[in-house]
Amino acid sequence: GTITPNISIESRLDYWSQSDQFLGTQTSLRDIVLGARGKYHFEVAHPKIRPFLGAGLGLHFLKAEVTIPPLFGLPGSTAEASSTQLGMDLGGGVSTPLSPKADLLGETWFGIVDGANSFSLRAGLSYKLGS
């Protein structure tokens, strides 16, 4: 929602995962994020272009897993660990209105959380609920 003409806040629910395999050993990391971000929209000469910088906090639900296959007659094994951590987001981008209720949006974010930093480039539509 919009707090002032130049400041907005948004909730977020994200998911990402990464898997790798080396010499039969499989590793994976998953991150589910629930959080909020604030954005400061800058005034520029062109009224249809709205650049912004933002920051936010998120609760990261992390799960890591390693699977080692059977080798030389030894049984394989799997180990996993889960944790919940607080993380921070820093980013920015630009939006432009398509209609009174919808904006086209391009943004980049860097998520900082111990052991699972992330970088994302995003493009999409933002829809305003309510009047």
Side-chain angles (χ1 to χ4, degrees):
T2 302
I3 297 172
T4 71
N6 289 12
I7 298 174
S8 63
I9 192 164
E10 63 186 28
S11 60
R12 71 184 271 248
L13 175 63
D14 286 340
Y15 171 85
W16 68 265
S17 68
Q18 179 179 348
S19 298
D20 287 314
Q21 184 172 343
F22 182 73
L23 299 175
T25 299
Q26 296 178 349
T27 61
S28 67
L29 177 62
R30 178 193 76 198
D31 186 7
I32 298 171
V33 187
L34 179 62
R37 291 177 176 154
K39 295 179 180 177
Y40 179 81
H41 300 267
F42 295 94
E43 296 292 331
V44 294
H46 194 290
K48 296 262 182 186
I49 304 279
R50 295 195 69 205
F52 62 86
L53 288 177
L57 293 175
L59 207 52
H60 293 255
F61 301 93
L62 299 163
K63 181 178 180 183
E65 188 173 326
V66 176
T67 302
I68 302 170
L71 187 62
F72 304 118
L74 298 172
S77 64
T78 298
E80 62 181 57
S82 297
S83 68
T84 302
Q85 298 181 27
L86 184 64
M88 184 171 77
D89 298 317
L90 299 173
V94 65
S95 66
T96 185
L98 296 176
S99 73
K101 288 199 170 239
D103 292 341
L104 180 63
L105 164 68
E107 60 186 10
T108 184
W109 289 95
F110 185 65
I112 304 165
V113 62
D114 188 30
N117 293 343
S118 64
F119 177 77
S120 63
L121 292 171
R122 301 169 184 234
L125 294 174
S126 173
Y127 186 77
K128 298 170 185 83
L129 300 174
S131 53

